[in-house]
Amino acid sequence: MTSDPTRLSAAELADRLAAGELSSVEITQAHLDRIDAVDPKVHAYLHVDRDGALAQAAEADRRRSAGEDAAALMGVPIAVKDVVTTKGLPTTAGSRILQGWIPPYDATLVTRLKQAGMPILGKTNMDEFAMGSSTEHSAYGPTRNPWDLERIPGGSGGGSAAAVGAHLAPLAIGTDTGGSIRQPASVTGTVGAKPTYGGVSRYGLIALASSLDQAGPCTRTVLDSALLHEVIGGHDPMDSTSIDAPVPPVVEAARRADVTGLRIGIVRELTGDGYAPDVQRRFDEAVALLTDRGAEIVEVSCPHFEQALAAYYLILPSEASSNLAKFDAMRYGLRVGPEGVERPSAEQVMAATRDAGFGDEVKRRIILGTYALSAGYYDAYYGQAQKVRTLVARDFAAAFEQADVLVSPTAPTTAFKLGDKLDDPMAMYRNDIATIPANLAGIPGLSVPAGLGDDGLPVGFQVLAPATRDELMYGVGAALEAALLQEWGGPLLDRAPALETMEVAR
Ligand code: GLN
């Protein structure tokens, strides 16, 4: 048994806390020490709250020794993506326009973490306003993949995935609008879960595309994701799209890890062409393992997925252009006076601030969105995209008649090199080809590690379930994880090179 708390899963940490073998202060301090030692190489964090985390840990220890009814994860620390508002802690969404902004309130999910007694280690790096698949669009510099520091950790939530993958946090919060929890999990060898739309409150998330955004867990095991899902999930009157029903029995399903008799559908449009051969091989092997465990495999077709990416890149920019209008230099963060203008108008300050405060990708999408929503083009672009969205949802409904869950590779390739796709937005967008349909339809999705590609880098396996049936994906993910653990003789992440000996070349 390891004595290093940073190597333990959240479930294991919870057991040690309950047994009195470790205190929350010890666990939190161990993570802060490791952040100091290796995060300068990874850059998973934008802000580390040392004093706050230790104070919350001491409070969790006090509550436990006072015999208070302990929540399952009480005392287990967590990192939070910087798009989630945290009272008194800087929240930038990876953008220069929010530099220095300190939110006056907590997101609902943060309130729930605090109520559960989970110390918040800090805020994690991300693509600006969650736009991207590599974390290279952060205004504060990229995060690196703990498997290979010259590679991307995925995006937009590369900071959360890298924090968990590099053992800089046992758990993290991500948000997924088109894949930003699942694709980073895929390329870092970690687990990421996007709950059903409305399953976790969006109150206090800085909105990217409100009809697609969903917060969820980034962890190293499926059970840890389920445990965290139960903490942050459930109805919230502050979010009008929040589902008014109990959280699905995700922990129970993750513990049972049973696929006997389950019909697993392989989506024809999400395999083969466009997927790297080694990614496809790991996927096929994972399917075979699930068959060995008693699942029944069927092939399904979702013909409108071909148009999903195009529809997403009209709907997302449309909603984003509207959501980002509030960054007007008056209410939050940055304010820039235009140069050489003596008494600038509000409009001139706004224009200068938005020019200086937003990065290229954000500007690209604002322009795309305002164009798609403009009077003359609304029907041709936004309207058509909404129709495709309905067809994608119908494809899913038909597929779920034939199968209980659907599976695919999470991403078409393993982690690419930093800089590789930075000048080619379309190539960057194509990385989310397999994750985007779930957001359009509002259904839940999970990514679990499926092994390594020919380049020695992690490959992810995606499980999709019908809306509000999140437990099904946890059951399948846990079954696959158990089968692979047996085959590998230990967690995949144990094969990642030691960060202590790695060098940052650029
Ligand atoms: N990579 C996708 C995008 O750039 C997904 C982003 C996300 O899920 N936040 O839009």
Side-chain angles (χ1 to χ4, degrees), residues 4 6-7 34 37-38 41 149 166 497-503:
D4 178 357
T6 67
R7 309 306 289 194
R34 182 163 169 84
V38 302
K41 294 180 188 178
L149 299 174
L499 279 164
E500 287 79 350
T501 59
M502 287 162 79
E503 297 202 1

Side-chain angles (χ1 to χ4, degrees), residues 313-390:
Y313 276 102
L314 287 166
I315 293 168
L316 177 140
S318 297
E319 293 188 24
S321 69
S322 164
N323 277 326
L324 295 180
K326 64 176 161 284
F327 299 103
D328 58 2
M330 305 297 146
R331 288 178 279 192
Y332 325 84
L334 191 73
R335 179 178 301 169
V336 177
E339 243 173 273
V341 185
E342 220 171 277
R343 294 186 55 187
S345 65
E347 285 76 12
Q348 285 171 316
V349 173
M350 199 185 299
T353 301
R354 288 169 69 86
D355 185 30
F358 288 142
D360 288 348
E361 182 63 24
V362 173
K363 287 176 185 160
R364 188 178 293 130
R365 295 197 196 193
I366 289 174
I367 292 168
L368 208 61
T370 44
Y371 182 79
L373 290 177
S374 59
Y377 295 104
Y378 181 91
D379 285 336
Y381 294 110
Y382 184 74
Q384 285 297 103
Q386 289 292 16
K387 288 178 188 162
V388 171
R389 185 174 192 172
T390 301

Side-chain angles (χ1 to χ4, degrees), residues 84-88 103-111 114 120 203-204:
V84 181
T85 55
T86 40
K87 186 175 178 175
Y105 71 110
D106 277 326
T108 295
L109 76 85
V110 172
T111 304
K114 288 181 175 172
I120 294 171
Y203 179 73

Side-chain angles (χ1 to χ4, degrees), residues 2 49 70 140 173 236 253 264 281 331 336 338 340 344 374 385 389 400-401 403 437 446 501:
T2 172
D49 185 23
Y140 304 101
I173 295 291
D236 176 18
I264 296 184
R281 271 200 302 281
R331 288 178 279 192
V336 177
S374 59
R389 185 174 192 172
F400 285 126
E401 298 269 306
L446 177 78
T501 59

Side-chain angles (χ1 to χ4, degrees), residues 81 130-133 155-156 175-180 208 312-313 316 365 432:
K81 189 177 180 182
M131 298 178 188
S133 306
S156 65
T175 58
D176 191 311
T177 304
S180 288
L208 169 54
Y312 172 87
Y313 276 102
L316 177 140
R365 295 197 196 193
D432 298 310

